[in-house]
Amino acid sequence: MNTKNIKGFFEDCKTAAEEILENIKKEGFIPIFSHNDPDGVTAGSILAKAIHRAGGSFLLRVIDRLDETTIGEIKKIQSNFYVFAEIGSGYLDVLKELSEKSKILVIDHHRPLEISYPNLTHVNPMLHGIDGAKEISGSGVCYFVAKNISEKNIDQSCLAIVGALGDLQDRTKNRCLQGLNKQIVEEAKSKKLIEVTTDLLFYGRETRPIHKAIATTMNPFIPGLSGEEDECLGFIVNLGVPIKDGDRWRSIADLTHEEKQKIFSELTIYLSKKGFSEESIFQLVGCVYTLLTEDKWTPLRDGREFASILNACLKMGKTGVAIALCLGSRGETLDEAQNLFNEYRKTIGHYISLLLEKKPQTIIEFENMYLIRCHGIVDEKMLSPIATILSSSGGLNPNKPVIALTKTENGKIKVSARASQPLVDQGLNLGLIMQNATQETGGKGGGHNIAAGATIPIEKEEEFVKLVNQMIKKPP
């Protein structure tokens, strides 16, 4: 990144803030549409809070994609100004019809279409040479817009960090946020909103017994341990690590440095034997982002766990619970969210087991990629996490990306694509491949270089698969 690019990006954020304030003054009401993932729901919530604080009212709706049906539903919401948060850059052509009667503000970080037209304001770091896959998330972009609306919104930095972690923007070797994400972290630290340390990255590191924390960890998915509490208990006991302090179960946070080293060393040996790469193994250690404004002993106090809770709510179809958490609701809302997370974890584990059992019909190795056929097994809402987990699994060659497919309720094929960082460093760009392959097959796709998605007509599945395999070998 250079100063000129960052300056231009910040100027766009300021312009977006001015438009929001102008429309609060004119209309009072602003509808917001955000993407159906943790980064999207935090992005939309950041804007919603900023609008409310500025004296406006809002509608926040979470959507999975933009198509003719969705646009038709949006049109029913009367407004002269629509905001799209963490979605829209890859759908600018679809949004053009909506812009003919209303102003549109798109705040996103995905690979943008090269389209502009009247009534469109487009804020995207990639327009300024800033990598939207690892330097700033969609919620981070919305944070900088919100901060331009009012400096009071610096307290929304925590949600932006949760969004970035939910978007897996910590996929560096040390598992720490970088670029403009790091600037947001520093702003949060300056206000004593967050604390950053280095530790083991098991889910429930402060709130769950050691064996349950390991069993709950899904990224990376540890064959034989993830989802298997009894096996994890035996694993810890065999290491000679005390699991209780008196009558109280010990958590990861209670372990000594030597005990953590012992667990990590043994897991390294275990995962190496399972074929995991060094990159996958080191996903277990990294920066821990502790949200100091959240109550101790709750999962929302850890940034990654907060993101995981949001993801579970969204994938289980409870978008209202996810939004409520982002807007500050706790108590019964958090209880429901934790129950949803437990259901989600069991569902994901069940799907992974079925796919592995039905291999090689479900997991097919091509010359340049792995094709994961999930038809009749995995619900479309669960496809993205399945692709993420399998792409980090030691059973697959990390030098090949994962392309997962499943049939949708409306008779189409949903696609979720994932690659390793080394492949991206070599020039692979899944977002561009999804965009180009869908243009040739009558679908819609895009995303980041390391993670992307698409929707295609069901009759074009085989043609799409062949195209993607060719494009990975010879990038477009």
Side-chain angles (χ1 to χ4, degrees):
M1 292 190 302
N2 58 54
T3 304
K4 182 179 179 182
N5 285 343
I6 295 175
K7 182 179 178 182
F9 167 67
F10 283 151
E11 286 174 353
D12 284 356
C13 292
K14 183 179 179 181
T15 298
E18 290 170 349
E19 288 201 6
I20 289 172
L21 287 169
E22 180 184 346
N23 279 276
I24 290 174
K25 189 175 180 180
K26 283 184 179 179
E27 308 287 339
F29 167 72
I30 297 178
I32 308 164
F33 303 90
S34 67
H35 194 206
N36 185 31
D37 63 15
D39 193 21
V41 74
T42 50
S45 298
I46 287 169
L47 292 179
K49 283 188 176 183
I51 289 168
H52 177 70
R53 285 172 170 175
S57 59
F58 65 86
L59 165 76
L60 176 54
R61 180 169 293 179
V62 173
I63 56 177
D64 186 48
R65 63 180 71 91
L66 283 165
D67 52 24
E68 290 181 4
T69 302
T70 312
I71 296 298
E73 293 173 356
I74 291 172
K75 282 182 175 179
K76 294 176 183 177
I77 301 168
Q78 294 298 315
S79 179
N80 293 314
F81 184 62
Y82 298 93
V83 176
F84 295 87
E86 213 265 325
I87 191 170
S89 288
Y91 296 91
L92 297 179
D93 51 347
V94 178
L95 288 171
K96 188 174 182 181
E97 180 188 349
L98 190 65
S99 75
E100 292 172 1
K101 293 184 178 180
S102 305
K103 286 186 176 182
I104 291 175
L105 171 60
V106 171
I107 307 173
D108 201 356
H109 69 132
H110 294 101
R111 182 179 179 83
L113 294 178
E114 295 180 7
I115 298 175
S116 63
Y117 40 81
N119 280 344
L120 169 68
T121 299
H122 187 197
V123 183
N124 189 312
M126 297 191 75
L127 298 173
H128 301 277
I130 302 167
D131 192 340
K134 61 183 180 181
E135 295 185 78
I136 185 168
S137 67
S139 54
V141 181
C142 288
Y143 165 73
F144 284 119
V145 172
K147 201 172 79 160
N148 273 281
I149 292 173
S150 171
E151 284 288 320
K152 292 179 181 178
N153 293 316
I154 288 179
D155 64 352
Q156 298 310 300
S157 54
C158 290
L159 269 188
I161 292 164
V162 169
L165 293 170
D167 201 49
L168 304 182
Q169 298 219 352
D170 59 336
R171 275 179 288 201
T172 56
K173 190 167 183 179
N174 62 359
R175 294 295 304 275
C176 295
L177 296 172
Q178 59 182 309
L180 289 173
N181 285 321
K182 188 175 181 181
Q183 179 176 326
I184 297 171
V185 170
E186 293 304 317
E187 291 182 7
K189 284 171 67 177
S190 71
K191 298 293 183 181
K192 301 190 185 308
L193 300 171
I194 196 166
E195 179 180 82
V196 184
T197 54
T198 301
D199 206 343
L200 292 171
L201 301 180
F202 294 118
Y203 185 91
R205 53 183 301 279
E206 289 190 10
T207 59
R208 295 180 177 231
I210 305 163
H211 63 290
K212 291 192 176 185
I214 297 174
T216 309
T217 299
M218 290 288 177
N219 189 19
F221 185 84
I222 308 173
L225 293 178
S226 290
E228 303 291 340
E229 290 185 10
D230 290 343
E231 294 296 326
C232 291
L233 182 60
F235 177 81
I236 297 300
V237 170
N238 289 336
L239 287 179
V241 175
I243 57 174
K244 284 189 172 184
D245 183 4
D247 293 331
R248 185 179 70 84
W249 290 99
R250 299 176 77 206
S251 68
I252 296 293
D254 294 324
L255 296 173
T256 65
H257 178 72
E258 289 73 22
E259 288 172 330
K260 290 176 184 178
Q261 286 280 64
K262 184 181 287 189
I263 291 173
F264 180 70
S265 296
E266 195 62 30
L267 279 173
T268 297
I269 296 169
Y270 178 85
L271 290 171
S272 295
K273 289 179 179 177
K274 296 284 185 181
F276 277 64
S277 65
E278 181 181 328
E279 180 190 358
S280 297
I281 294 169
F282 272 90
Q283 290 183 59
L284 293 170
V285 178
C287 288
V288 174
Y289 297 90
T290 303
L291 310 185
L292 301 178
T293 57
E294 297 292 340
D295 290 340
K296 289 184 178 181
W297 316 117
T298 73
L300 302 188
R301 191 168 170 85
D302 182 283
R304 285 186 185 83
E305 294 180 32
F306 197 146
S308 295
I309 288 277
L310 293 178
N311 187 55
C313 294
L314 295 166
K315 298 308 180 189
M316 297 300 287
K318 298 292 186 179
T319 57
V321 177
I323 292 171
L325 285 177
C326 289
L327 296 180
S329 180
R330 298 294 181 262
E332 291 182 1
T333 302
L334 180 54
D335 291 341
E336 183 178 357
Q338 292 193 81
N339 289 333
L340 288 168
F341 176 81
N342 291 333
E343 285 182 50
Y344 167 77
R345 181 172 61 86
K346 290 176 184 176
T347 302
I348 288 292
H350 175 65
Y351 284 155
I352 293 289
S353 297
L354 283 177
L355 290 170
L356 293 175
E357 283 173 15
K358 295 179 181 292
K359 186 181 177 183
Q361 290 80 19
T362 52
I363 303 176
I364 307 156
E365 186 172 5
F366 279 65
E367 179 186 3
N368 306 306
M369 68 183 195
Y370 285 100
L371 180 68
I372 316 296
R373 289 192 189 275
C374 304
H375 305 323
I377 298 175
V378 178
D379 181 87
E380 62 177 296
K381 291 177 182 176
M382 301 291 185
L383 190 66
S384 174
I386 291 294
T388 299
I389 290 169
L390 289 176
S391 68
S392 63
S393 169
L396 303 184
N397 184 347
N399 293 317
K400 292 185 178 183
V402 164
I403 313 296
L405 312 175
T406 197
K407 293 177 182 176
T408 68
E409 291 181 356
N410 60 356
K412 293 186 177 181
I413 298 290
K414 183 172 180 177
V415 185
S416 191
R418 297 290 183 272
S420 65
Q421 189 60 51
L423 280 175
V424 170
D425 293 340
Q426 293 167 27
L428 181 67
N429 189 326
L430 289 177
L432 186 57
I433 288 172
M434 290 294 108
Q435 195 175 96
N436 290 349
T438 53
Q439 284 176 356
E440 293 193 34
T441 53
K444 197 75 183 171
H448 300 306
N449 49 15
I450 199 167
T455 304
I456 58 171
I458 197 165
E459 66 274 11
K460 295 287 186 177
E461 179 180 341
E462 295 304 323
E463 180 184 348
F464 175 83
V465 169
K466 288 178 182 177
L467 273 172
V468 172
N469 190 48
Q470 291 168 3
M471 289 177 177
I472 291 169
K473 183 177 183 180
K474 188 177 180 181

